[in-house]
Amino acid sequence: MPGTHRVRQMWISAVAVALVVSFSLSCSRNKAAESSIKVGVVLPITGREAKPGQYQREGIDLAIRQINQDGGVMVKELGQKLPIQEVFYDDSSDQAKSASLAERAMSSDGVIAVLGAYSTALGEAESVMPDRYQTPWISTGAAATTIFNHGYQYTFGTLSPTNLLGSTTAEYLGSLVDQGKLKKGLKIAMTLENTDHGVDYGRGIKQWIQDHPGYFNVVFSENFDLGSPDFSGLLQKVKGARADIFLADAHLQDYITMHRQYLQSGLAHQMISYGARGPEADARKAMGDGVDYIFAGIWWSKNLPYPQVKKFNEDYKAFAGHEPDSWYPAPAYDAVRALATAIESAGTLNKTAIRDALKNVDLKDSLLPGQELKFGANGQINTPFVIVENKPGGKVDIVYPKDAATGESIAPIPKH
Amino acid sequence: MTLVDFTSLMVSALLLAGIYAVMSVGMTVIYGVMKIVNLAHAGFMMLGAYLALELFERFQIDPILAAFLTFPVMFLLGGAVHWVLVRRLPHADEPTLPSLLLMFGLWLVLQNLGYLIWGNTDRSIFTPRTLSVVNVGPIAISTLRLVVFIAALVCLGLLEAWLHYTWFGRSVRALIQNRYAALITGVHEDRTAGIAFGLGIGFAGLAGGLLGSLYSFDPDFGRAFLIRAFVIIVLGGLDSISGVAIGALVLALVETFSIIFVPAGYQLAISFALLALVLIVLPGGIASLLAKARRLA
């Protein structure tokens, strides 16, 4: 029996040694495997959001390429610079897929952070994952405040809140009243997409009007479904409201469909806006000079008079083969830079440490209006919007704020 | 609401009905003959839109004419798809799971083929006609929508004539009405089904070409229309061509006029509520009501 006992003890010892050896081997293998920093990118490059998703991906890819060309990101704990390795996922503009891909990236693909989420709807779907898997998530294309007001700790966003877009839009219109270009007391008709983005936009406008009595009255406000093939009934109601200003909040496809029908219905207003849409090249291709004088509140413009923007425009064109179309690539580009700064400042690839560092990131040479990128207490940035206006001949000018303006506002829209 | 507003809405609804009818008729023909719910309809519409765009951009062919030119191409494509894939499905008197899966898979393949060839960029057809308007008194009517409506009416008229005055057309109707009786009278089922499938796909392509003039599109184009096409063919009676026209008109009227009373955000919900109502009250669709009226007369 003692012999049997000794054999059992030997077996137990052998198994224990094997476990210890294999554990230490796996640890050393993991250390050795840290030859790059894996970052997940979940964006739609197919489906209805494909175009903005593709532009955002180009912004992210450009930033990663530039960082890697400079040797990568310094990770103090490892005593070396590591390149960023992008793990890309196409969510096909599908909410469920977006959430499951973000989950996959965070739970099983070993990324240290996830970037992306273009559009509020897709961002909302993903936003529950970061805290669950304690992985920093930087949304580059979702701006609705609902995403950032849940008290999540790992959620960040490089787009200012949509209600600020609404209030900036109203503020711009108010400035036109102050300049005498528009009369006081004009009536506004609003059509808003049926999402939190639309709700926030409308709320921002109404709040500004409430805070500045006498400037404008909202006489019509209604929501519409994304991707509707026909807006004739809705536009008929807009016509019936006999408003002076038409403000909509729409995605690119809906903007094109709605504005085509707007023009075909013979509607005319003193000012027209589709929220953050307006200067896109696709819209001009689809409607020609029908998009002239539309103004948009956007998170970024390639015409911003900052040297870093000029350099970005050149680099982006060389990288993507085309100029930046609207605002899409810049917040994505800066999101990668903010993440890289946070990793360097954390000095480790520990996700919670990176999260803590992100909270203190302060990019002083940001591409975004104001040139400074800092995340607020809720994880969202609060940079100002710029208002751009389409001019005849395909020109797009920044018209507000004044210190960034590249041209004068044309208001009201000239009658044909 | 003023009389002008009412008339404007009525005109909008009529123009929309034309669009809805032409996009649904192909689906109805296929369902009528083969009892296959063509989930790939949206994919073929998308192909039609891109074909029209290519003809417009490469050869400067008018987009409406280009839409008509897509018909024979899509007809041949439909015939080929039938010969290679669809005819291998087991014959059935009602939709089967294999047929649903096949058509859904085909839709995904077509979509991805679209991404491969044309990329994910939004495309649109812009001509001087795109934004032009005809003013009839105080009512502004989009020239393009009017042209598309007339084109849709011409298509439906031609289809109706073909179904009534040609041997093949009559054999298609015979298969729609009673498959077994049709077989007894010598209708060649496979050949007729192949032609009907080609016809359905041809109409999907034509509808895509026409819609491509009105909307911007990408390889995902057609999804929103597919849902409405379902509603229309259930409304009209699943295998009735004239029912489709009436179904399209009813849906367009309901969608357009309901917006006066309820927010536009509920437009799709209204379509589905209508669908549910018809399924409960009138399971055979409007066509069954028409047939009953004819019998009584």
Side-chain angles (χ1 to χ4, degrees):
Chain A
M1 277 300 145
T4 317
H5 183 69
R6 202 177 305 125
V7 169
R8 192 189 293 161
Q9 269 188 333
M10 275 175 67
W11 271 109
I12 290 170
S13 308
V15 168
V17 168
L19 278 173
V20 168
V21 168
S22 69
F23 179 73
S24 55
L25 272 177
S26 104
C27 283
S28 64
R29 217 175 286 134
N30 279 346
K31 285 255 178 198
E34 277 165 359
S35 55
S36 63
I37 301 166
K38 279 171 87 175
V39 174
V41 177
V42 183
L43 279 170
I45 55 161
T46 53
R48 57 175 285 113
E49 308 292 7
K51 189 112 190 182
Q54 178 64 34
Y55 292 150
Q56 292 225 308
R57 186 186 184 186
E58 286 166 358
I60 287 172
D61 288 353
L62 173 61
I64 291 176
R65 186 200 231 193
Q66 288 177 342
I67 289 168
N68 288 347
Q69 276 174 348
D70 285 348
V73 182
M74 182 65 197
V75 185
K76 210 171 169 185
E77 186 186 61
L78 302 173
Q80 60 175 325
K81 276 186 162 187
L82 294 180
I84 296 176
Q85 183 198 340
E86 177 187 336
V87 185
F88 185 79
Y89 309 85
D90 172 19
D91 63 28
S92 317
S93 312
D94 180 279
Q95 269 183 307
K97 204 170 168 187
S98 192
S100 76
L101 287 174
E103 184 168 34
R104 182 178 133 191
M106 293 172 184
S107 64
S108 58
D109 288 355
V111 302
I112 56 105
V114 171
L115 305 176
Y118 174 80
S119 98
T120 290
L122 300 177
E124 272 173 346
E126 285 181 39
S127 66
V128 295
M129 301 300 171
D131 277 42
R132 188 182 297 170
Y133 295 101
Q134 302 194 338
T135 305
W137 175 76
I138 309 178
S139 163
T140 55
T145 47
T146 46
I147 293 174
F148 300 93
N149 287 348
H150 292 294
Y152 295 142
Q153 294 301 308
Y154 287 81
T155 298
F156 300 88
T158 51
L159 290 187
S160 287
T162 320
N163 52 359
L164 186 62
L165 165 62
S167 60
T168 309
T169 298
E171 188 181 294
Y172 163 64
L173 290 169
S175 76
L176 295 176
V177 172
D178 293 339
Q179 290 168 44
K181 290 185 171 180
L182 297 178
K183 286 182 183 157
K184 246 187 169 179
L186 293 182
K187 290 181 277 183
I188 293 178
M190 294 199 294
T191 61
L192 311 169
E193 63 174 42
N194 212 357
T195 62
D196 287 332
H197 192 283
V199 171
D200 280 356
Y201 177 77
R203 194 181 291 147
I205 288 170
K206 285 176 185 163
Q207 187 61 52
W208 191 91
I209 291 171
Q210 199 180 314
D211 295 343
H212 301 80
Y215 273 84
F216 306 106
N217 299 309
V218 176
V219 291
F220 177 82
S221 176
E222 204 161 278
N223 294 352
F224 62 85
D225 270 338
L226 292 179
S228 174
D230 186 67
F231 294 109
S232 50
L234 179 63
L235 291 172
Q236 193 65 38
K237 282 170 105 172
V238 169
K239 199 174 193 175
R242 307 210 189 319
D244 307 295
I245 294 168
F246 175 61
L247 302 178
D249 182 53
H251 274 59
L252 183 56
Q253 274 188 340
D254 290 331
Y255 156 43
I256 293 174
T257 304
M258 189 183 286
H259 196 61
R260 268 191 171 194
Q261 291 185 0
Y262 176 98
L263 295 166
Q264 290 164 351
S265 310
L267 279 161
H269 290 90
Q270 291 188 30
M271 296 300 284
I272 304 168
S273 180
Y274 285 86
R277 320 286 164 228
E280 290 82 356
D282 281 345
R284 188 164 282 278
K285 268 190 216 158
M287 293 176 280
D289 57 10
V291 298
D292 284 351
Y293 309 111
I294 286 176
F295 76 91
I298 52 177
W299 286 273
W300 179 79
S301 164
K302 65 180 177 188
N303 296 326
L304 278 167
Y306 310 146
Q308 65 269 32
V309 169
K310 201 177 165 203
K311 183 176 180 312
F312 171 77
N313 290 341
E314 286 162 7
D315 292 346
Y316 181 86
K317 195 174 176 187
F319 177 73
H322 57 89
E323 288 192 352
D325 189 13
S326 196
W327 54 268
Y328 307 109
Y333 179 85
D334 267 3
V336 178
R337 294 173 65 226
L339 178 64
T341 308
I343 294 169
E344 286 202 342
S345 146
T348 168
L349 295 184
N350 178 286
K351 294 191 274 191
T352 304
I354 294 169
R355 185 276 313 265
D356 293 341
L358 271 169
K359 287 185 173 179
N360 296 315
V361 159
D362 189 357
L363 274 189
K364 297 276 190 198
D365 60 345
S366 167
L367 299 179
L368 302 177
Q371 306 183 71
E372 187 173 10
L373 186 150
K374 279 167 86 171
F375 296 106
N378 66 350
Q380 194 169 20
I381 63 165
N382 213 19
T383 54
F385 281 83
V386 287
I387 302 287
V388 293
E389 186 178 29
N390 293 342
K391 301 279 179 68
K395 196 169 176 250
V396 180
D397 271 328
I398 297 177
V399 291
Y400 188 82
K402 278 281 160 211
D403 56 359
T406 57
E408 273 292 306
S409 294
I410 297 178
I413 294 173
K415 285 181 184 163
H416 294 292
Chain B
M1 189 200 289
T2 65
L3 185 64
V4 172
D5 290 343
F6 177 83
T7 316
S8 288
L9 278 179
M10 185 56 90
V11 170
S12 294
L14 274 176
L15 298 184
L16 189 62
I19 295 166
Y20 280 178
V22 78
M23 76 179 187
S24 312
V25 73
M27 219 168 162
T28 307
V29 170
I30 291 173
Y31 182 85
V33 175
M34 281 167 280
K35 303 294 178 260
I36 288 174
V37 178
N38 184 12
L39 290 175
H41 194 74
F44 288 111
M45 278 171 65
M46 175 272 293
L47 281 188
Y50 275 105
L51 271 179
L53 176 77
E54 293 291 342
L55 288 172
F56 169 68
E57 284 188 346
R58 286 174 196 266
F59 307 105
Q60 287 76 49
I61 294 173
D62 182 88
I64 302 298
L65 178 63
F68 277 95
L69 290 178
T70 61
F71 182 86
V73 179
M74 296 300 288
F75 176 83
L76 291 176
L77 178 66
V81 168
H82 179 266
W83 193 75
V84 176
L85 297 171
V86 179
R87 74 190 173 101
R88 295 171 206 284
L89 289 168
H91 289 291
D93 291 333
E94 54 187 29
T96 58
L97 190 60
S99 71
L100 287 173
L101 289 175
L102 175 69
M103 301 322 281
F104 183 65
L106 191 57
W107 182 19
L108 295 181
V109 169
L110 291 174
Q111 233 182 29
N112 284 288
L113 201 64
Y115 284 120
L116 208 64
I117 300 171
W118 293 288
N120 56 22
T121 313
D122 255 20
R123 307 292 289 274
S124 45
I125 297 172
F126 182 74
T127 66
R129 203 194 286 136
T130 306
L131 302 179
S132 77
V133 169
V134 180
N135 286 304
V136 183
I139 298 161
I141 303 170
S142 155
T143 313
L144 189 58
R145 288 201 152 215
L146 194 62
V147 171
V148 168
F149 175 73
I150 293 166
L153 284 189
V154 169
C155 293
L156 290 178
L158 287 175
L159 177 65
E160 197 68 11
W162 183 81
L163 285 172
H164 280 88
Y165 301 114
T166 67
W167 192 89
F168 261 124
R170 280 196 284 265
S171 59
V172 166
R173 281 170 55 218
L175 273 175
I176 289 174
Q177 285 164 11
N178 190 321
R179 177 170 167 249
Y180 299 102
L183 293 179
I184 290 166
T185 55
V187 170
H188 192 299
E189 189 182 17
D190 262 0
R191 198 187 308 151
T192 312
I195 288 172
F197 196 84
L199 206 63
I201 301 306
F203 269 101
L206 172 62
L210 291 174
L211 293 173
S213 298
L214 293 173
Y215 304 101
S216 67
F217 51 89
D218 64 10
D220 194 36
F221 181 64
R223 191 185 293 269
F225 296 106
L226 186 67
I227 294 167
R228 284 172 170 85
F230 280 135
V231 177
I232 288 164
I233 63 171
V234 172
L235 259 176
L238 285 165
D239 44 16
S240 162
I241 308 294
S242 51
V244 164
I246 299 170
L249 182 63
V250 170
L251 181 67
L253 283 171
V254 169
E255 278 192 351
T256 307
F257 280 93
S258 63
I259 283 184
I260 298 167
F261 308 105
V262 291
Y266 296 114
Q267 203 172 18
L268 203 56
I270 289 162
S271 307
F272 282 116
L274 185 68
L275 178 68
L277 190 74
V278 170
L279 284 172
I280 294 165
V281 180
L282 206 65
I286 293 164
S288 68
L289 206 64
L290 291 176
K292 200 183 271 181
R294 271 199 294 268
R295 276 200 300 275
L296 287 173

